Amino acid sequence: MTRRCVGERLTRAGAAAVPALTPAVVQMCVTVSGGPPAGPPALAATALGCAALLGRRTRPLAALAGTLAAVLAAALAAALAGAPADTVGPPVAVALALYALAVHGTAGTAVSGVAATALAAALAAALTGSPPRHTAGTAVVVAGCGAVLWAAGRSRRRRAADREAVRAHRAASGAAVRYEVLAERERFAAELHDAAAHRLTGVVVSCAAALRLDRPDLTRDALRHAAAAGRGTVAELDRLTAPDTRPGGITLADIDTLAARHGADHTRTLDTAPPATAHTAHRVVREALTNAQRYASGAPVRVAVTARDTGRLLVVTVTDGGGERSAPGLGGGLGIPGLRSAVGAAGGTLTAGPSGPGWTVRAELPLTAPLPTRRWPAWPGPAARDWALVGLATALSLGVALLATGAPDSFGGPASASAFVALSALHAAPLAVRRRAPERGLAAVLLALLLWLGCDLADWGGPPAGDVLLVHWWVELAFVRSAGERLDRGRGLAAVTAVAAVGGLALARGTGISGDRVAAWAVLSALLAVPALFVWAAGRRAARRRAVRRADADRRRELRARETGAAVRAQRERFAAGLRDTARRHAHAVAEAADAGDLAAARSEARAALTALRDLLVELRAGAGAVAGPGPGSAVGPGPGSVAVRAGVGGGGRAGSGVGGWVAVRAGVGGGGRMDGRAGAGGGARGAVRAGAWPGARGTA
């Protein structure tokens, strides 16, 4: 082990041990400052709490259990000695352990820890001889303080996760660009295969049939079809190579047109579907009809588009009756694997295989987005901190009233107890909306304080509003900070003024004020305005820092978008150059040969265009390794945001050849999404069977 590793371990051990000594330090400070001297049982309980805190990071639940045991042991020792508990070390250890549990444990486990802490506090109070009312007050106050510790720990955990996500996102910026380039390759390859190859396959099939039968009417139809398909292919290739082209405008009605053009028996039982679902369904039907042309020429084809599961699934089924192969070498084995990837990306499933004498392609696509599954209870992130503050405010109000021994007694009678509980809830509950609606929440809090003043004037027997303000003014300050963060300057200063004025009025109504109460109200309001202004200014600074961080994130996002757009445009220009020199030239030659009446030349040029398209498709998919890594099987980045490209061998083929290779592309940013695409394979279980390997085999999975 190197010296550096030893030093790092010692540093981590020291960082874990120093906070564990905090209970002992606090106990020592209390004793030195004139507090009651701690006896041997109290010192032993403090030592037990310090020992339990050593495992607060790795085993936070066990650490909390150890500190609670220390508290109960100290209470039991005090009960046996007939003296009050003289130690503060174990409670401090419990607070640290509860905070560590919220940071390093799950939210539900931490809530259970808060409940266990409140029960242990009540049990300790009962052991020391406290009356039931004081025992209940202790449990309520401890529960409120535990809620704040829970919220603080969850906030720290969330901030740490956000920082880690930002670091991972920045580290994966280069991978994000590569991922977009890979996604552009996949999208372009899918469109190229679906649009252009479909037209050219029809030209080859019709020309081959016309040449074989040698009938003038078939020859005229084949020449007319070849001329139209050739020009359509040229237009389609020009559209695909145009900048920023995206598929769109496909509806279920286009499937009707497609099926009618191929003479298929078509059935459709639903009228509309989401655009993305309709586009994917159209791709499925087009690919299946193209394969039927290639491998079952002249066979009857049935197309069905139906709904299943009470309208939640769109089912597309294309079945042919089997037939003869129209011409050898038309398929490259890339269609169905790419289609399966597209259907899977849309959230559906695709199956393709023999069905009697023919072949069936079946796709199931979702018509509605799945409902998000939510765990219960739901921990709503930052809003949970506000609810924890509600718990603290309520617990302090009720708990302090239960622990109070002198007059006035908040629970002296049913009327005063009901009014006290209602006012306490009204004063605490608005904290739950201090982020979403700070103005309305502050108005409710100040209304509760004014109602408390009204009860004072009616001599209701509860605690005076001035005493309530001294204990709970942090509630008003919490709203002042929210006003600084969420409101403009004018409304924020109005909130500060309202808090100071109502607070000064509550204090001026107190029994300790003599003389002119109006002057006292003015002076007290001015004094309360000073801390309120400081809190409001802190909220303004926090809002400015948040705006700076947001602007920085937007600037980085815009820069990355420009880099990604430039890389994608470069890829598309490269594709366009390759198409112009190969497939587009052959497609144009198809139209010229058809216009000249040369059927054999039209068929030859269509086959040459198909071969060029197939070669380009294989290059697009197998060439993904050049984008993400130095070669097949390479991987860039082992962590979040990495891009991995793997090329395998199927049935003797190699990645990058005509068929026989499969390419899987996986990418994610900041531990996010993933894209999988597998295209082509040699013979075997992995993917497609090489077209023409044996009678009846198809270039599909």
Side-chain angles (χ1 to χ4, degrees):
M1 183 181 297
T2 63
R3 184 178 301 174
R4 180 178 179 182
C5 292
V6 173
E8 290 178 353
R9 289 194 174 185
L10 290 176
T11 301
R12 288 196 297 268
V18 170
L21 297 176
T22 302
V25 173
V26 172
Q27 181 66 57
M28 185 184 302
C29 292
V30 170
T31 303
V32 172
S33 61
L43 295 178
T46 302
L48 176 60
C50 293
L53 286 176
L54 291 174
R56 69 190 184 280
R57 295 182 178 178
T58 56
R59 294 177 177 83
L61 194 58
L64 179 62
T67 57
L68 291 178
V71 169
L72 294 176
L76 182 60
L80 294 176
D86 56 357
T87 177
V88 296
V92 173
V94 169
L96 294 175
L98 193 57
Y99 177 77
L101 180 61
V103 173
H104 302 291
T106 62
T109 303
V111 168
S112 301
V114 173
T117 302
L119 292 176
L123 181 58
L127 288 175
T128 56
S130 297
R133 175 170 171 166
H134 285 193
T135 300
T138 300
V140 170
V141 171
V142 169
C145 296
V148 173
L149 290 172
W150 178 88
R154 301 305 298 176
S155 178
R156 178 181 172 184
R157 181 186 177 101
R158 186 183 184 90
R159 289 195 303 270
D162 290 343
R163 289 193 298 268
E164 182 62 29
V166 169
R167 284 195 295 267
H169 186 267
R170 290 177 178 175
S173 296
V177 175
R178 291 191 293 271
Y179 164 72
E180 291 295 338
V181 172
L182 293 174
E184 177 67 14
R185 281 177 171 268
E186 287 292 322
R187 190 182 67 81
F188 184 81
E191 293 186 45
L192 190 63
H193 178 277
D194 292 345
H198 176 76
R199 296 175 184 271
L200 294 173
T201 297
V203 172
V204 174
V205 171
S206 61
C207 289
L211 288 172
R212 183 173 63 253
L213 298 177
D214 194 19
R215 288 170 45 185
D217 56 338
L218 291 180
T219 300
R220 287 193 300 270
D221 291 342
L223 288 173
R224 185 165 53 251
H225 177 259
R231 294 187 180 91
T233 301
V234 171
E236 191 69 22
L237 294 177
D238 289 341
R239 183 191 69 82
L240 289 177
T241 54
D244 297 330
T245 181
R246 291 291 186 272
I250 298 296
T251 64
L252 295 181
D254 294 316
I255 298 179
D256 301 343
T257 305
L258 185 63
R261 189 164 61 241
H262 283 264
D265 182 12
H266 177 239
T267 302
R268 179 162 62 92
T269 61
L270 69 165
D271 297 328
T272 60
T277 302
H279 179 76
T280 306
H282 187 270
R283 285 189 59 184
V284 171
V285 173
R286 182 165 54 187
E287 176 63 24
L289 292 176
T290 301
N291 284 339
Q293 276 188 326
R294 292 172 177 173
Y295 307 111
S297 179
V301 181
R302 297 188 305 275
V303 178
V305 180
T306 59
R308 190 168 65 84
D309 289 349
T310 64
R312 289 193 296 268
L313 284 179
L314 171 69
V315 181
V316 179
T317 306
V318 182
T319 304
D320 63 63
E324 297 294 330
R325 184 188 300 273
S326 60
L330 292 183
L334 304 177
I336 293 297
L339 197 61
R340 180 173 286 111
S341 176
V343 172
T349 58
L350 183 134
T351 58
S355 176
W359 194 270
T360 296
V361 176
R362 176 185 174 89
E364 295 184 355
L365 296 164
L367 282 171
T368 57
L371 295 176
T373 57
R374 296 189 62 182
R375 297 176 57 187
W376 184 260
W379 309 110
R385 297 197 293 269
D386 295 334
W387 282 107
L389 292 179
V390 173
L392 175 64
T394 305
L396 287 180
S397 181
L398 301 180
V400 169
L402 289 171
L403 292 173
T405 57
D409 187 2
S410 303
F411 297 95
S416 61
S418 300
F420 175 71
V421 172
L423 290 175
S424 298
L426 181 60
H427 192 260
L431 283 169
V433 297
R434 71 183 185 93
R435 297 174 187 272
R436 300 191 303 273
E439 287 180 301
R440 291 196 294 269
L442 179 59
V445 168
L446 296 180
L447 175 62
L449 200 56
L450 291 175
L451 289 176
W452 221 304
L453 280 172
C455 291
D456 284 352
L457 294 176
D459 196 17
W460 67 311
D467 294 349
V468 172
L469 182 70
L470 292 176
V471 177
H472 300 291
W473 199 50
W474 61 270
V475 174
E476 281 80 357
L477 292 181
F479 277 100
V480 168
R481 180 179 174 87
S482 296
E485 292 180 346
R486 312 281 173 173
L487 304 180
D488 56 42
R489 181 185 297 271
R491 292 190 293 171
L493 291 176
V496 171
T497 303
V499 166
V502 176
L505 184 62
L507 293 178
R509 179 65 182 77
T511 57
I513 301 297
S514 60
D516 189 353
R517 292 185 180 270
V518 175
W521 169 65
V523 172
L524 291 172
S525 298
L527 292 176
L528 292 178
V530 175
L533 282 173
F534 275 108
V535 173
W536 173 77
R540 297 280 292 180
R541 285 195 299 271
R544 284 195 294 268
R545 289 195 299 268
R546 190 181 301 113
V548 169
R549 289 195 298 269
R550 189 180 299 114
D552 181 67
D554 292 341
R555 185 172 62 255
R556 291 177 180 273
R557 191 180 301 111
E558 183 180 356
L559 178 61
R560 186 170 59 253
R562 287 201 298 266
E563 293 175 353
T564 303
V568 169
R569 284 193 298 272
Q571 286 289 313
R572 184 166 286 276
E573 290 172 0
R574 178 170 169 245
F575 303 154
L579 285 174
R580 282 193 296 269
D581 295 338
T582 56
R584 189 184 185 281
R585 177 169 53 83
H586 289 299
H588 185 69
V590 169
E592 291 182 342
D595 291 338
D598 191 344
L599 198 61
R603 183 185 66 171
S604 177
E605 292 292 345
R607 290 183 65 91
L610 277 174
T611 301
L613 286 176
R614 187 167 58 207
D615 292 342
L616 181 58
L617 288 174
V618 173
E619 177 189 355
L620 286 173
R621 289 187 167 105
V627 177
S634 63
V636 178
S642 63
V643 177
V645 179
R646 300 184 297 182
V649 177
R654 63 180 180 84
S657 60
V659 290
W662 67 273
V663 178
V665 180
R666 295 183 179 180
V669 177
R674 185 179 75 179
M675 179 191 71
D676 293 330
R678 296 184 179 180
R686 174 67 69 177
V689 180
R690 180 175 299 153
W694 57 80
R698 300 190 176 190
T700 58

mmCIF file of all heavy atoms in Angstrom, residues 249-250 273-280:
data_model
loop_
_atom_site.group_PDB
_atom_site.id
_atom_site.type_symbol
_atom_site.label_atom_id
_atom_site.label_comp_id
_atom_site.label_asym_id
_atom_site.label_seq_id
_atom_site.Cartn_x
_atom_site.Cartn_y
_atom_site.Cartn_z
ATOM 1 N N GLY A 249 -46.230 14.257 -40.651
ATOM 2 C CA GLY A 249 -47.404 14.271 -41.496
ATOM 3 C C GLY A 249 -47.983 12.913 -41.817
ATOM 4 O O GLY A 249 -48.899 12.829 -42.640
ATOM 5 N N ILE A 250 -47.491 11.827 -41.214
ATOM 6 C CA ILE A 250 -48.007 10.498 -41.492
ATOM 7 C C ILE A 250 -49.218 10.238 -40.596
ATOM 8 O O ILE A 250 -49.181 10.479 -39.389
ATOM 9 C CB ILE A 250 -46.936 9.422 -41.254
ATOM 10 C CG1 ILE A 250 -45.754 9.644 -42.196
ATOM 11 C CG2 ILE A 250 -47.512 8.031 -41.448
ATOM 12 C CD1 ILE A 250 -46.092 9.482 -43.653
ATOM 13 N N ALA A 273 -54.535 8.072 -34.406
ATOM 14 C CA ALA A 273 -53.481 7.609 -33.501
ATOM 15 C C ALA A 273 -52.504 8.754 -33.323
ATOM 16 O O ALA A 273 -52.427 9.663 -34.161
ATOM 17 C CB ALA A 273 -52.773 6.374 -34.062
ATOM 18 N N PRO A 274 -51.744 8.768 -32.245
ATOM 19 C CA PRO A 274 -50.723 9.812 -32.088
ATOM 20 C C PRO A 274 -49.766 9.824 -33.271
ATOM 21 O O PRO A 274 -49.502 8.776 -33.885
ATOM 22 C CB PRO A 274 -50.009 9.411 -30.789
ATOM 23 C CG PRO A 274 -51.018 8.609 -30.030
ATOM 24 C CD PRO A 274 -51.810 7.879 -31.070
ATOM 25 N N PRO A 275 -49.236 10.990 -33.652
ATOM 26 C CA PRO A 275 -48.372 11.074 -34.842
ATOM 27 C C PRO A 275 -47.201 10.098 -34.816
ATOM 28 O O PRO A 275 -46.908 9.453 -35.826
ATOM 29 C CB PRO A 275 -47.897 12.536 -34.831
ATOM 30 C CG PRO A 275 -48.954 13.267 -34.068
ATOM 31 C CD PRO A 275 -49.460 12.314 -33.048
ATOM 32 N N ALA A 276 -46.506 9.986 -33.678
ATOM 33 C CA ALA A 276 -45.355 9.080 -33.626
ATOM 34 C C ALA A 276 -45.790 7.636 -33.808
ATOM 35 O O ALA A 276 -45.129 6.849 -34.504
ATOM 36 C CB ALA A 276 -44.622 9.253 -32.293
ATOM 37 N N THR A 277 -46.920 7.256 -33.208
ATOM 38 C CA THR A 277 -47.420 5.886 -33.355
ATOM 39 C C THR A 277 -47.839 5.619 -34.789
ATOM 40 O O THR A 277 -47.554 4.544 -35.348
ATOM 41 C CB THR A 277 -48.597 5.663 -32.397
ATOM 42 O OG1 THR A 277 -48.168 5.914 -31.054
ATOM 43 C CG2 THR A 277 -49.126 4.252 -32.503
ATOM 44 N N ALA A 278 -48.536 6.572 -35.420
ATOM 45 C CA ALA A 278 -48.945 6.397 -36.812
ATOM 46 C C ALA A 278 -47.737 6.275 -37.736
ATOM 47 O O ALA A 278 -47.730 5.469 -38.677
ATOM 48 C CB ALA A 278 -49.833 7.566 -37.237
ATOM 49 N N HIS A 279 -46.705 7.069 -37.464
ATOM 50 C CA HIS A 279 -45.496 7.002 -38.302
ATOM 51 C C HIS A 279 -44.827 5.637 -38.179
ATOM 52 O O HIS A 279 -44.423 5.035 -39.186
ATOM 53 C CB HIS A 279 -44.532 8.112 -37.887
ATOM 54 C CG HIS A 279 -43.252 8.116 -38.664
ATOM 55 N ND1 HIS A 279 -43.168 8.589 -39.950
ATOM 56 C CD2 HIS A 279 -42.010 7.682 -38.333
ATOM 57 C CE1 HIS A 279 -41.925 8.460 -40.390
ATOM 58 N NE2 HIS A 279 -41.198 7.911 -39.428
ATOM 59 N N THR A 280 -44.720 5.113 -36.961
ATOM 60 C CA THR A 280 -44.104 3.798 -36.777
ATOM 61 C C THR A 280 -44.956 2.705 -37.404
ATOM 62 O O THR A 280 -44.427 1.760 -38.016
ATOM 63 C CB THR A 280 -43.895 3.527 -35.282
ATOM 64 O OG1 THR A 280 -43.148 4.604 -34.701
ATOM 65 C CG2 THR A 280 -43.147 2.237 -35.059
#
